[in-house]
Amino acid sequence: MSLLTRATPFEQKWPSWRPSVLKILKQEAVSKDEWQGLFWDVHSVVSWEQHGGETVLNAVMAEVNSFVERAAYRVSNTNGNSALLRQYRIEWEMFVAQSKYLPLPFHAVENAMRTAAIGQVSIASNAKRRENGSVFIGQRMLHVWKAVIFGHITSRLQVSAMELLKAERNGEVIDSQLVVAVRESIVTMGPENDKLEFYKVYFEAVYLAEVRQHYYHLGQAYLQNNGLLSYMEYVCTTLSVEIGKGERYLEQSRGDSMTLVCFMLPYACSSS
């Protein structure tokens, strides 16, 4: 007599979960019954199936990866600075919203994997586990975005954002939220223990370098054509304008950095 392999609790439940997971990722409506059932079913699988938490996590993250790969295709195949930033903003704002919403029914997964980790890891290695062992689905979603999208178009995003700011400095009207969305995504996807440094490397440093490059030649020409007194008035006016821009585009008040950059103009450099 042949023995039939009985489906695991996960195998029984996943076909009914998957459509709900996809709806959530796409910001489509999920019924109250679907939503509440997801909480109960996840808890049931994680409680009764050995390694159920890891199995559920892997299945959910596979869907997240597929979703982000499709978003990456749409973003990377968009041409033009404004168009690229606009598509990036659309995809990012949808994704980051769902990175807070999707994990809610899967809280039992996190609890189960934390419990398993505590049982397997010695006290001596607890610090290392806390550093590398995050199982938050939301955090993992952000890691996927960083690897699949941001990691492949970092330079394009930086160049496009700075070109838009250059256009604004030249008097053009721009959609400032396109630049803000890039900054916010960089801050959000940064490592939990070093978000500020990640932001400084991938946004602030690029921003300040663009400010200095933009004003260096303008300042030199202004000094030569208008004399020192007018030039110093120009520096003060420019500084005020750029501090205002910095408050809009930078993550925090960077008055000292902006002052340093704006005064690194021909007169300041030659007199140092």
Side-chain angles (χ1 to χ4, degrees), residues 21 33-34 56 73 76 96 104 108 115 173 175 202 204 210 261:
V21 170
D33 288 343
E34 279 183 280
V56 172
Y73 178 83
S76 62
V96 74
L104 295 178
T115 301
V173 178
D175 183 352
Y202 288 101
E204 186 182 275
E210 169 60 27
V261 170

Side-chain angles (χ1 to χ4, degrees), residues 67-187:
F67 181 85
V68 174
E69 285 171 359
R70 290 191 293 271
Y73 178 83
R74 291 190 292 269
V75 173
S76 62
N77 284 280
T78 302
N79 297 316
N81 294 327
S82 293
L84 172 68
L85 296 178
R86 190 173 298 110
Q87 187 65 41
Y88 182 83
R89 180 189 178 190
I90 290 171
E91 303 289 351
W92 165 253
E93 290 182 349
M94 173 186 289
F95 185 77
V96 74
Q98 301 316 88
S99 74
K100 300 171 184 176
Y101 187 56
L102 178 62
L104 295 178
F106 297 95
H107 188 66
V109 172
E110 175 194 337
N111 291 339
M113 294 187 70
R114 279 181 182 272
T115 301
I118 291 172
Q120 296 171 7
V121 182
S122 67
I123 295 176
S125 63
N126 273 349
K128 190 67 176 178
R129 177 179 60 79
R130 286 194 296 270
E131 179 183 345
N132 294 328
S134 172
V135 295
F136 296 109
I137 289 179
Q139 287 295 325
R140 286 176 177 261
M141 289 175 69
L142 295 176
H143 293 165
V144 171
W145 182 276
K146 181 167 65 175
V148 175
I149 297 184
F150 184 76
H152 286 83
I153 61 167
T154 304
S155 295
R156 287 185 64 193
L157 287 174
Q158 291 171 332
V159 169
S160 296
M162 295 308 112
E163 286 296 320
L164 217 58
L165 293 177
K166 183 185 296 184
E168 184 183 49
R169 290 189 177 97
N170 289 332
E172 297 181 31
V173 178
I174 69 166
D175 183 352
S176 61
Q177 289 305 306
L178 299 181
V179 179
V180 171
V182 174
R183 182 205 73 205
E184 289 179 344
S185 72
I186 290 172
V187 172

